[in-house]
Coordinates of all heavy atoms in Angstrom, one line a residue:
M1 N -4.3 29.9 50.5 CA -5.5 29.6 51.4 C -5.0 29.1 52.8 O -4.1 28.3 52.7 CB -6.5 28.8 50.7 CG -7.8 29.5 50.4 SD -8.9 28.7 49.6 CE -9.5 27.4 51.0
T2 N -5.7 29.5 53.9 CA -5.1 29.0 55.1 C -6.2 28.0 55.4 O -7.4 28.2 55.4 CB -5.2 30.0 56.3 OG1 -4.4 31.1 55.5 CG2 -4.5 29.5 57.4
V3 N -5.8 26.8 55.9 CA -6.8 25.7 56.4 C -6.8 25.7 58.0 O -5.6 25.5 58.4 CB -6.3 24.4 55.7 CG1 -7.3 23.3 56.3 CG2 -6.4 24.6 54.3
F4 N -7.9 25.9 58.6 CA -7.8 25.8 59.9 C -8.3 24.4 60.4 O -9.4 23.8 59.9 CB -8.8 26.9 60.5 CG -8.4 28.2 60.4 CD1 -8.7 29.1 59.3 CD2 -7.5 28.7 61.2 CE1 -8.4 30.3 59.2 CE2 -7.0 30.0 61.1 CZ -7.5 30.8 60.2
I5 N -7.6 23.7 61.2 CA -7.9 22.6 61.8 C -8.1 22.8 63.2 O -7.4 23.4 63.9 CB -7.0 21.4 61.5 CG1 -5.6 21.9 61.8 CG2 -7.1 20.9 60.1 CD1 -4.5 20.7 62.1
T6 N -9.1 22.2 63.9 CA -9.5 22.2 65.3 C -8.5 21.2 66.0 O -8.5 20.1 65.8 CB -10.8 21.9 65.5 OG1 -11.7 22.7 64.7 CG2 -11.3 22.3 67.0
V7 N -7.7 21.8 66.8 CA -6.8 21.2 67.6 C -7.3 21.0 69.0 O -7.5 22.0 69.7 CB -5.3 21.7 67.6 CG1 -4.3 20.8 68.4 CG2 -4.7 21.9 66.1
T8 N -7.4 19.8 69.4 CA -7.7 19.6 70.8 C -6.7 19.0 71.6 O -6.0 18.2 71.2 CB -9.1 18.9 71.0 OG1 -8.9 17.6 70.3 CG2 -10.3 19.5 70.4
C9 N -6.6 19.5 72.9 CA -5.5 18.9 73.8 C -6.0 17.4 74.1 O -7.0 17.1 74.5 CB -5.5 19.7 75.1 SG -4.5 19.0 76.4
P10 N -4.9 16.5 74.0 CA -5.3 15.1 74.2 C -5.5 14.8 75.7 O -6.1 13.7 75.9 CB -4.0 14.4 73.8 CG -2.9 15.5 73.7 CD -3.5 16.7 73.5
D11 N -5.2 15.6 76.6 CA -5.4 15.4 78.0 C -6.7 16.0 78.5 O -7.5 15.3 79.0 CB -4.2 15.9 78.8 CG -3.2 14.9 79.1 OD1 -3.3 13.9 78.4 OD2 -2.3 15.1 80.0
C12 N -7.0 17.3 78.2 CA -8.1 17.9 78.9 C -9.2 18.2 77.8 O -10.2 18.6 78.2 CB -7.7 19.3 79.5 SG -7.1 20.5 78.4
H13 N -8.8 18.0 76.4 CA -9.8 18.1 75.3 C -10.2 19.6 75.2 O -11.2 19.9 74.7 CB -10.9 17.1 75.4 CG -10.5 15.7 75.6 ND1 -10.1 15.0 74.6 CD2 -10.5 14.9 76.7 CE1 -9.8 13.8 75.1 NE2 -10.0 13.7 76.3
S14 N -9.3 20.5 75.7 CA -9.7 21.9 75.5 C -9.2 22.2 74.0 O -8.3 21.7 73.5 CB -8.9 22.7 76.5 OG -8.9 24.1 76.1
T15 N -10.0 23.1 73.5 CA -9.6 23.8 72.2 C -8.9 25.1 72.3 O -8.6 25.6 71.3 CB -10.9 23.9 71.3 OG1 -11.8 24.7 71.9 CG2 -11.4 22.5 71.0
N16 N -8.6 25.3 73.5 CA -7.8 26.4 73.8 C -6.4 26.2 73.7 O -5.5 26.1 74.6 CB -8.1 27.1 75.3 CG -7.5 28.5 75.4 OD1 -7.1 29.2 74.6 ND2 -7.8 29.0 76.6
V17 N -6.0 26.0 72.4 CA -4.6 25.5 72.1 C -4.0 26.4 71.1 O -4.7 26.9 70.1 CB -4.8 24.1 71.4 CG1 -3.5 23.8 70.7 CG2 -5.3 23.2 72.5
V18 N -2.7 26.7 71.2 CA -2.0 27.7 70.3 C -0.6 26.9 69.9 O -0.2 25.9 70.6 CB -1.6 29.0 70.9 CG1 -2.7 29.8 71.3 CG2 -0.6 28.8 72.2
K19 N -0.3 27.3 68.6 CA 0.9 26.7 68.1 C 2.2 27.1 69.0 O 2.3 28.1 69.4 CB 1.0 27.1 66.6 CG 0.3 26.4 65.7 CD 0.6 26.8 64.2 CE -0.4 26.1 63.3 NZ -0.2 26.4 62.0
H20 N 3.1 26.2 69.0 CA 4.2 26.4 69.9 C 5.4 25.9 69.4 O 6.2 24.9 69.9 CB 3.9 25.7 71.3 CG 4.8 26.0 72.4 ND1 4.7 27.2 73.0 CD2 5.7 25.1 73.1 CE1 5.7 27.3 74.0 NE2 6.3 26.0 74.0
G21 N 5.9 26.4 68.2 CA 7.0 25.9 67.6 C 7.0 24.5 67.1 O 6.0 24.0 66.9
K22 N 8.2 23.9 66.7 CA 8.3 22.7 66.1 C 9.2 21.8 67.0 O 10.0 22.2 67.7 CB 9.0 22.7 64.7 CG 8.1 23.5 63.7 CD 7.4 22.6 62.8 CE 6.4 23.3 61.9 NZ 6.9 23.9 60.7
S23 N 8.8 20.5 66.9 CA 9.6 19.5 67.6 C 10.9 19.2 66.9 O 11.0 19.7 65.7 CB 8.9 18.2 67.8 OG 8.9 17.5 66.7
G24 N 11.8 18.5 67.5 CA 13.0 18.2 67.0 C 12.9 17.5 65.5 O 13.8 17.6 64.7
E25 N 11.8 16.7 65.4 CA 11.5 16.1 64.1 C 10.8 16.9 63.1 O 10.3 16.4 62.1 CB 10.8 14.7 64.4 CG 11.5 13.7 65.1 CD 10.8 12.9 66.1 OE1 9.4 13.2 66.2 OE2 11.2 12.2 66.8
G26 N 10.7 18.1 63.5 CA 9.9 19.1 62.6 C 8.4 19.0 62.7 O 7.7 19.5 61.8
K27 N 7.9 18.3 63.6 CA 6.4 18.2 63.8 C 5.9 19.5 64.5 O 6.6 20.0 65.4 CB 6.1 16.9 64.5 CG 6.3 15.7 63.7 CD 5.9 14.5 64.5 CE 6.1 13.2 63.7 NZ 6.2 12.0 64.6
Q28 N 4.8 19.9 64.2 CA 4.2 21.0 64.8 C 3.8 20.7 66.4 O 3.2 19.7 66.7 CB 2.8 21.3 64.1 CG 2.1 22.5 64.7 CD 2.9 23.9 64.6 OE1 3.3 24.2 63.4 NE2 3.3 24.5 65.6
R29 N 4.2 21.6 67.1 CA 4.0 21.4 68.5 C 2.9 22.4 69.0 O 2.9 23.5 68.5 CB 5.3 21.6 69.4 CG 5.2 21.5 70.9 CD 6.5 21.8 71.7 NE 7.3 20.7 71.6 CZ 8.7 20.7 71.5 NH1 9.2 21.9 71.2 NH2 9.4 19.7 71.4
Y30 N 2.1 22.0 69.8 CA 0.9 22.8 70.5 C 1.2 23.1 71.8 O 1.7 22.2 72.5 CB -0.4 22.3 70.0 CG -0.6 22.2 68.5 CD1 -0.2 21.1 67.7 CD2 -1.1 23.3 67.9 CE1 -0.4 21.0 66.5 CE2 -1.4 23.2 66.5 CZ -1.0 22.2 65.7 OH -1.2 22.1 64.4
C31 N 0.6 24.1 72.3 CA 0.6 24.4 73.7 C -0.8 24.5 74.2 O -1.5 25.4 73.6 CB 1.3 25.7 74.0 SG 1.5 26.2 75.7
C32 N -1.3 23.9 75.3 CA -2.5 24.0 75.7 C -2.5 25.0 76.8 O -1.7 25.2 77.6 CB -2.9 22.7 76.5 SG -4.4 22.7 77.3
R33 N -3.6 25.9 76.6 CA -3.7 27.1 77.4 C -4.6 27.0 78.7 O -4.8 27.8 79.3 CB -4.0 28.3 76.6 CG -3.0 28.6 75.5 CD -3.4 29.9 74.8 NE -2.9 31.0 75.5 CZ -3.0 32.2 75.2 NH1 -3.8 32.4 74.1 NH2 -2.7 33.3 75.9
N34 N -5.1 25.9 78.8 CA -5.9 25.5 80.0 C -4.9 25.4 81.2 O -4.0 24.6 81.2 CB -6.6 24.2 79.8 CG -7.5 23.7 80.9 OD1 -7.6 24.5 82.0 ND2 -8.0 22.7 80.8
E35 N -5.1 26.3 82.1 CA -4.3 26.3 83.2 C -4.3 25.2 84.1 O -3.3 24.8 84.9 CB -4.4 27.6 84.0 CG -3.8 28.8 83.3 CD -4.2 30.2 84.1 OE1 -4.5 30.2 85.2 OE2 -4.0 31.3 83.4
E36 N -5.4 24.4 84.1 CA -5.5 23.2 84.8 C -5.0 22.0 84.2 O -4.8 20.9 84.8 CB -7.0 23.1 85.3 CG -7.3 24.1 86.4 CD -9.0 24.2 86.3 OE1 -9.7 23.2 86.0 OE2 -9.4 25.2 86.6
C37 N -4.5 22.1 83.0 CA -4.1 21.0 82.3 C -2.6 20.7 82.7 O -1.9 21.6 82.8 CB -4.1 21.2 80.8 SG -3.6 19.9 79.8
L38 N -2.3 19.3 82.8 CA -1.0 19.0 83.2 C -0.1 18.9 82.1 O 1.2 18.8 82.2 CB -1.1 17.6 84.0 CG -1.9 17.6 85.3 CD1 -2.0 16.3 85.8 CD2 -1.2 18.5 86.3
R39 N -0.6 18.6 80.9 CA 0.4 18.3 79.8 C 1.0 19.6 79.1 O 2.2 19.5 79.0 CB -0.5 17.7 78.6 CG 0.5 17.1 77.5 CD -0.2 16.7 76.3 NE -0.8 15.3 76.6 CZ -0.1 14.2 76.6 NH1 1.2 14.2 76.3 NH2 -0.7 13.1 76.9
R40 N 0.3 20.6 79.0 CA 0.9 21.9 78.5 C 1.3 22.0 77.1 O 0.7 22.7 76.2 CB 1.9 22.4 79.4 CG 1.6 22.5 80.8 CD 0.2 23.2 81.0 NE -0.1 24.5 80.5 CZ 0.1 25.6 81.1 NH1 0.4 25.6 82.4 NH2 -0.1 26.8 80.6
T41 N 2.3 21.2 76.6 CA 2.7 21.1 75.2 C 2.4 19.6 74.7 O 2.6 18.6 75.4 CB 4.1 21.6 74.8 OG1 4.9 20.6 75.5 CG2 4.4 22.9 75.6
F42 N 2.2 19.5 73.4 CA 1.9 18.3 72.9 C 2.1 18.3 71.3 O 2.0 19.4 70.8 CB 0.6 17.7 73.2 CG -0.6 18.6 72.7 CD1 -1.2 18.3 71.5 CD2 -1.1 19.6 73.5 CE1 -2.2 19.1 71.1 CE2 -2.2 20.4 73.1 CZ -2.6 20.2 71.8
L43 N 2.3 17.2 70.8 CA 2.4 17.1 69.4 C 1.0 16.5 68.8 O 0.4 15.9 69.5 CB 3.4 16.2 68.9 CG 4.9 16.5 69.3 CD1 5.8 15.4 68.8 CD2 5.4 17.9 68.7
L44 N 0.6 16.9 67.7 CA -0.7 16.5 67.2 C -0.8 15.0 67.0 O -1.8 14.4 67.2 CB -0.9 17.2 65.8 CG -2.3 17.2 65.4 CD1 -3.3 17.8 66.3 CD2 -2.4 17.9 63.9
D45 N 0.3 14.3 66.8 CA 0.3 12.9 66.7 C -0.4 12.2 68.0 O -0.8 11.1 68.0 CB 1.6 12.4 66.4 CG 1.9 12.6 65.0 OD1 1.1 13.1 64.2 OD2 3.1 12.2 64.5
Y46 N -0.1 12.9 69.0 CA -0.4 12.2 70.4 C -1.9 11.9 70.5 O -2.3 10.9 71.2 CB -0.1 13.3 71.5 CG 1.4 13.2 71.9 CD1 1.9 14.2 72.6 CD2 2.2 12.1 71.4 CE1 3.2 14.2 73.1 CE2 3.5 12.3 71.9 CZ 4.0 13.3 72.6 OH 5.3 13.3 73.0
S47 N -2.8 12.8 69.8 CA -4.2 12.6 69.8 C -4.5 11.2 69.1 O -5.3 10.5 69.6 CB -4.9 13.7 69.2 OG -4.5 14.0 68.0
Y48 N -3.8 10.9 68.1 CA -3.9 9.6 67.5 C -3.5 8.5 68.4 O -4.1 7.4 68.6 CB -3.1 9.7 66.1 CG -3.2 8.2 65.5 CD1 -4.5 7.8 64.9 CD2 -2.1 7.4 65.2 CE1 -4.6 6.6 64.3 CE2 -2.1 6.3 64.5 CZ -3.3 5.8 64.1 OH -3.5 4.7 63.5
E49 N -2.3 8.7 69.1 CA -1.8 7.7 70.0 C -3.0 7.6 71.1 O -3.1 6.3 71.6 CB -0.6 8.2 70.7 CG 0.7 8.1 69.9 CD 1.0 6.7 69.4 OE1 0.9 5.9 70.3 OE2 1.3 6.5 68.2
G50 N -3.7 8.6 71.5 CA -4.6 8.5 72.5 C -5.8 7.7 71.9 O -6.3 6.8 72.8
H51 N -6.1 7.9 70.9 CA -7.2 7.0 70.2 C -6.8 5.5 70.2 O -7.5 4.7 70.6 CB -7.4 7.4 68.8 CG -8.3 6.6 68.0 ND1 -9.7 6.5 68.3 CD2 -8.2 5.7 67.1 CE1 -10.3 5.7 67.6 NE2 -9.4 5.2 66.7
K52 N -5.5 5.3 69.8 CA -5.1 3.9 69.8 C -5.0 3.3 71.2 O -5.5 2.1 71.3 CB -3.6 3.8 69.3 CG -3.4 3.9 67.7 CD -2.2 3.2 67.2 CE -1.0 4.1 67.7 NZ 0.2 3.8 66.8
R53 N -4.7 4.1 72.3 CA -4.8 3.5 73.7 C -6.0 3.2 74.0 O -6.4 2.2 74.6 CB -4.2 4.7 74.5 CG -2.6 4.5 74.7 CD -2.3 5.1 76.1 NE -2.6 6.5 76.1 CZ -1.6 7.4 75.7 NH1 -0.7 7.1 75.3 NH2 -2.1 8.8 75.8
S54 N -7.1 4.0 73.7 CA -8.5 3.7 74.1 C -9.0 2.5 73.3 O -9.8 1.7 73.9 CB -9.4 4.9 73.8 OG -9.5 5.1 72.5
V55 N -8.6 2.3 72.1 CA -9.0 1.0 71.4 C -8.4 -0.1 72.0 O -9.0 -1.1 72.1 CB -8.4 1.1 69.8 CG1 -8.5 -0.2 69.1 CG2 -9.3 2.1 69.2
K56 N -7.1 0.0 72.4 CA -6.5 -1.2 73.1 C -7.1 -1.5 74.4 O -7.4 -2.7 74.8 CB -5.0 -0.8 73.5 CG -4.1 -0.9 72.3 CD -2.7 -0.4 72.5 CE -1.8 -0.5 71.3 NZ -0.5 0.0 71.6
K57 N -7.6 -0.5 75.1 CA -8.3 -0.7 76.4 C -9.6 -1.5 76.1 O -10.0 -2.5 76.8 CB -8.5 0.6 77.1 CG -9.4 0.8 78.2 CD -8.5 0.5 79.5 CE -9.4 0.5 80.8 NZ -10.6 -0.2 80.8
K58 N -10.3 -1.0 75.1 CA -11.4 -1.6 74.8 C -11.4 -3.2 74.3 O -12.1 -4.0 74.6 CB -12.3 -0.9 73.5 CG -13.0 0.3 74.0 CD -13.6 1.1 72.9 CE -13.9 2.6 73.2 NZ -14.1 3.4 72.1
I59 N -10.3 -3.4 73.6 CA -10.0 -4.8 73.2 C -9.7 -5.6 74.4 O -10.4 -6.7 74.5 CB -8.6 -4.9 72.3 CG1 -9.0 -4.1 70.9 CG2 -8.2 -6.3 72.0 CD1 -7.7 -4.0 70.1
A60 N -9.0 -5.1 75.4 CA -8.8 -5.8 76.6 C -10.2 -6.0 77.3 O -10.4 -7.1 77.7 CB -7.8 -5.1 77.5
D61 N -10.9 -4.9 77.4 CA -12.3 -5.2 78.2 C -13.1 -6.2 77.4 O -13.8 -7.1 78.1 CB -13.0 -3.7 78.1 CG -12.4 -2.8 79.1 OD1 -11.4 -3.2 79.8 OD2 -12.7 -1.6 78.9
M62 N -13.2 -6.2 76.2 CA -14.1 -7.1 75.4 C -13.5 -8.6 75.5 O -14.4 -9.4 75.6 CB -14.1 -6.6 73.9 CG -15.1 -5.4 73.7 SD -15.3 -5.0 72.1 CE -16.5 -6.2 71.5
S63 N -12.3 -8.6 75.6 CA -11.8 -10.1 75.6 C -12.1 -10.6 77.0 O -12.3 -11.7 77.2 CB -10.3 -10.2 75.3 OG -9.7 -9.6 76.4
V64 N -12.0 -9.7 78.0 CA -12.3 -10.2 79.4 C -13.8 -10.6 79.6 O -14.1 -11.5 80.1 CB -11.9 -9.0 80.3 CG1 -12.6 -9.2 81.8 CG2 -10.5 -8.8 80.4
N65 N -14.6 -9.8 78.7 CA -16.0 -10.1 78.9 C -16.4 -11.3 77.9 O -17.6 -11.6 77.6 CB -16.8 -8.9 78.4 CG -16.6 -7.7 79.5 OD1 -16.6 -8.1 80.6 ND2 -16.8 -6.6 79.0
G66 N -15.5 -11.9 77.4 CA -15.6 -13.2 76.6 C -16.1 -12.9 75.0 O -16.5 -13.7 74.4
S67 N -15.8 -11.7 74.5 CA -16.1 -11.4 73.1 C -15.0 -12.2 72.2 O -13.9 -12.2 72.7 CB -16.2 -9.9 72.9 OG -17.1 -9.3 73.6
G68 N -15.5 -12.6 71.2 CA -14.7 -13.3 70.3 C -13.8 -12.3 69.4 O -14.1 -11.0 69.3
V69 N -12.7 -12.8 68.9 CA -11.7 -11.8 68.2 C -12.6 -11.3 67.0 O -12.3 -10.0 66.9 CB -10.6 -12.6 67.7 CG1 -9.7 -11.9 66.7 CG2 -9.7 -13.1 68.8
R70 N -13.4 -11.9 66.2 CA -14.0 -11.4 65.1 C -15.0 -10.3 65.6 O -15.2 -9.2 65.0 CB -14.7 -12.4 64.3 CG -13.8 -13.0 63.3 CD -14.2 -14.1 62.3 NE -13.3 -14.9 62.0 CZ -13.6 -16.0 61.3 NH1 -14.7 -16.5 61.1 NH2 -12.6 -16.9 60.9
D71 N -15.8 -10.6 66.6 CA -16.7 -9.5 67.1 C -16.1 -8.4 67.5 O -16.5 -7.3 67.2 CB -17.4 -10.3 68.3 CG -18.5 -11.3 67.9 OD1 -18.9 -11.2 66.7 OD2 -18.9 -12.1 68.7
T72 N -15.0 -8.5 68.2 CA -14.3 -7.4 68.8 C -13.7 -6.5 67.6 O -13.9 -5.3 67.6 CB -13.1 -7.9 69.7 OG1 -13.5 -8.7 70.6 CG2 -12.4 -6.7 70.4
A73 N -13.1 -7.1 66.7 CA -12.7 -6.5 65.3 C -13.8 -5.7 64.8 O -13.6 -4.5 64.3 CB -11.9 -7.4 64.5
R74 N -14.8 -6.3 64.6 CA -16.0 -5.7 63.9 C -16.5 -4.5 64.7 O -16.8 -3.4 64.1 CB -17.0 -6.7 63.6 CG -18.1 -6.4 62.7 CD -19.2 -7.3 62.5 NE -19.8 -7.5 63.7 CZ -20.3 -8.6 64.1 NH1 -20.0 -9.7 63.5 NH2 -20.9 -8.7 65.4
V75 N -16.6 -4.7 66.0 CA -17.3 -3.5 66.9 C -16.3 -2.3 66.8 O -16.7 -1.3 66.8 CB -17.5 -4.1 68.3 CG1 -17.8 -2.9 69.1 CG2 -18.7 -5.0 68.2
L76 N -14.9 -2.5 66.9 CA -14.0 -1.5 67.1 C -13.5 -1.0 65.9 O -12.7 -0.2 65.8 CB -13.0 -1.9 68.1 CG -13.3 -2.3 69.5 CD1 -12.2 -2.9 70.3 CD2 -14.0 -1.2 70.2
K77 N -13.9 -1.7 64.7 CA -13.5 -1.4 63.3 C -11.8 -1.4 63.2 O -11.2 -0.6 62.6 CB -13.8 0.0 62.9 CG -15.4 0.2 62.8 CD -15.9 1.5 62.4 CE -17.4 1.5 62.1 NZ -18.1 1.7 63.3
V78 N -11.3 -2.4 63.8 CA -9.9 -2.8 63.6 C -9.7 -4.1 63.0 O -10.6 -4.9 62.8 CB -9.1 -2.7 64.9 CG1 -9.2 -1.2 65.5 CG2 -9.6 -3.7 65.9
S79 N -8.5 -4.5 62.6 CA -8.4 -5.9 62.0 C -8.2 -6.9 63.1 O -7.9 -6.6 64.2 CB -7.0 -5.8 61.2 OG -6.0 -5.6 61.9
T80 N -8.5 -8.2 62.7 CA -8.5 -9.2 63.7 C -7.1 -9.4 64.2 O -6.9 -9.7 65.3 CB -9.0 -10.6 63.0 OG1 -8.3 -10.7 61.8 CG2 -10.5 -10.6 62.8
S81 N -6.1 -9.1 63.4 CA -4.7 -9.3 63.8 C -4.4 -8.3 64.8 O -3.6 -8.7 65.7 CB -3.7 -9.2 62.5 OG -3.9 -7.9 62.0
T82 N -4.8 -7.0 64.7 CA -4.8 -6.1 65.8 C -5.3 -6.7 67.1 O -4.6 -6.5 68.1 CB -5.4 -4.7 65.4 OG1 -5.0 -4.4 64.3 CG2 -5.2 -3.6 66.5
V83 N -6.5 -7.3 67.0 CA -7.1 -7.7 68.3 C -6.3 -8.8 68.9 O -6.1 -8.9 70.1 CB -8.6 -8.2 67.9 CG1 -9.3 -8.8 69.1 CG2 -9.4 -6.9 67.5
I84 N -6.0 -9.8 68.0 CA -5.1 -10.9 68.5 C -3.8 -10.5 69.2 O -3.5 -10.9 70.2 CB -4.8 -11.9 67.4 CG1 -6.2 -12.7 67.0 CG2 -3.8 -13.0 67.8 CD1 -6.0 -13.2 65.6
K85 N -3.3 -9.5 68.5 CA -1.9 -8.9 69.1 C -2.2 -8.4 70.5 O -1.4 -8.6 71.3 CB -1.4 -7.9 68.1 CG 0.1 -8.1 67.9 CD 0.6 -6.8 67.1 CE 0.1 -6.6 65.7 NZ 0.5 -5.5 65.1
E86 N -3.2 -7.5 70.5 CA -3.5 -6.9 71.9 C -4.0 -7.9 72.8 O -3.6 -7.8 74.0 CB -4.6 -5.9 71.6 CG -4.1 -4.6 70.9 CD -2.9 -4.1 71.5 OE1 -2.8 -4.0 72.8 OE2 -1.9 -3.8 70.8
I87 N -4.7 -8.8 72.5 CA -5.1 -9.9 73.5 C -4.0 -10.6 74.0 O -3.9 -11.0 75.3 CB -6.2 -10.9 72.9 CG1 -7.5 -10.1 72.8 CG2 -6.4 -12.0 73.9 CD1 -8.6 -10.9 72.0
K88 N -3.0 -11.0 73.2 CA -1.8 -11.7 73.7 C -1.0 -10.7 74.6 O -0.5 -11.3 75.6 CB -1.0 -12.0 72.5 CG -1.4 -13.3 71.8 CD -0.3 -13.5 70.6 CE -0.8 -14.8 69.8 NZ -0.2 -14.8 68.5
K89 N -1.0 -9.6 74.3 CA -0.2 -8.5 75.2 C -0.9 -8.4 76.5 O -0.3 -8.5 77.6 CB -0.1 -7.2 74.6 CG 1.2 -6.9 73.7 CD 1.2 -5.4 73.6 CE 1.3 -5.4 71.9 NZ 1.1 -3.8 71.6
T90 N -2.3 -8.3 76.5 CA -3.0 -8.2 77.7 C -2.7 -9.5 78.6 O -2.5 -9.3 79.9 CB -4.5 -8.0 77.4 OG1 -4.6 -7.2 76.4 CG2 -5.3 -7.7 78.7
K91 N -2.9 -10.7 78.0 CA -2.6 -11.9 78.7 C -1.2 -11.9 79.5 O -1.1 -12.4 80.6 CB -2.8 -13.1 77.9 CG -4.3 -13.4 77.6 CD -4.6 -14.6 76.9 CE -6.0 -14.9 76.7 NZ -6.3 -15.7 75.5
K92 N -0.3 -11.4 78.7 CA 1.1 -11.5 79.2 C 1.1 -10.6 80.4 O 1.8 -11.0 81.4 CB 2.1 -10.9 78.2 CG 3.3 -11.9 77.9 CD 4.2 -11.3 76.9 CE 4.2 -12.2 75.7 NZ 5.0 -11.7 74.5
T93 N 0.6 -9.3 80.5 CA 0.7 -8.4 81.5 C 0.0 -8.9 82.8 O 0.3 -8.7 83.8 CB 0.3 -7.0 81.2 OG1 -1.0 -7.1 80.5 CG2 1.3 -6.3 80.3
Q94 N -1.2 -9.8 82.5 CA -1.9 -10.3 83.5 C -1.3 -11.3 84.3 O -1.4 -11.5 85.4 CB -3.3 -10.7 83.1 CG -4.4 -9.6 82.8 CD -5.6 -10.1 82.1 OE1 -5.6 -11.0 81.4 NE2 -6.6 -9.2 82.1
E95 N -0.4 -12.1 83.5 CA 0.3 -13.1 84.1 C 1.4 -12.7 85.0 O 1.7 -13.4 85.9 CB 0.9 -14.0 83.0 CG -0.1 -15.0 82.5 CD 0.4 -15.6 81.1 OE1 1.5 -15.5 80.7 OE2 -0.6 -16.3 80.4
C96 N 2.1 -11.4 84.8 CA 3.1 -11.1 85.7 C 2.7 -10.7 87.0 O 1.7 -10.3 87.4 CB 3.7 -9.7 85.0 SG 4.6 -10.2 83.5
Ligands
ZN1 ZN1 -4.8 20.4 78.1

């Protein structure tokens, strides 16, 4: 049986994506066929990375707005230790 999964491009969110061989680590590589897209090829894992990035951004935003660690963790459905780690990182970059 063939299982179809919808692959969306992490940059342009187009579903006009075709398989494009394997990466050096044997991961499935995809090619975005949207001509206006800058990424063109990507690994499926990147979409997860993109999700993590947006969560990190939200953690930073919420801490700036004065949200507590526990509130932030509950809203974003991540652990409090993740929130604390990200807040520490954010503070470091802001100091530089
Ligand atoms: Zn794309």
Side-chain angles (χ1 to χ4, degrees):
M1 249 180 66
T2 312
V3 178
F4 289 102
I5 48 160
T6 309
V7 180
T8 49
C9 173
D11 269 14
C12 66
H13 303 288
S14 165
T15 52
N16 192 1
V17 165
V18 291
K19 283 187 178 177
H20 191 71
K22 294 262 168 81
S23 77
E25 295 144 358
K27 287 179 181 166
Q28 182 65 55
R29 181 183 279 139
Y30 293 91
C31 178
C32 177
R33 301 186 79 187
N34 177 3
E35 283 172 17
E36 285 159 28
C37 181
L38 297 173
R39 186 185 289 276
R40 307 315 301 264
T41 66
F42 60 93
L43 301 175
L44 197 53
D45 285 357
Y46 283 163
S47 52
Y48 179 64
E49 286 298 315
H51 172 71
K52 275 201 294 196
R53 266 206 298 275
S54 71
V55 167
K56 281 178 184 176
K57 175 86 172 51
K58 281 179 196 156
I59 290 171
D61 287 350
M62 286 185 77
S63 73
V64 167
N65 291 329
S67 295
V69 169
R70 274 184 206 166
D71 284 339
T72 308
R74 198 182 57 224
V75 170
L76 300 177
K77 296 186 176 74
V78 294
S79 66
T80 51
S81 60
T82 306
V83 175
I84 292 164
K85 227 191 293 171
E86 287 310 315
I87 288 172
K88 276 184 188 161
K89 264 193 240 165
T90 311
K91 281 187 179 152
K92 232 179 239 174
T93 49
Q94 277 170 349
E95 279 163 12
C96 284

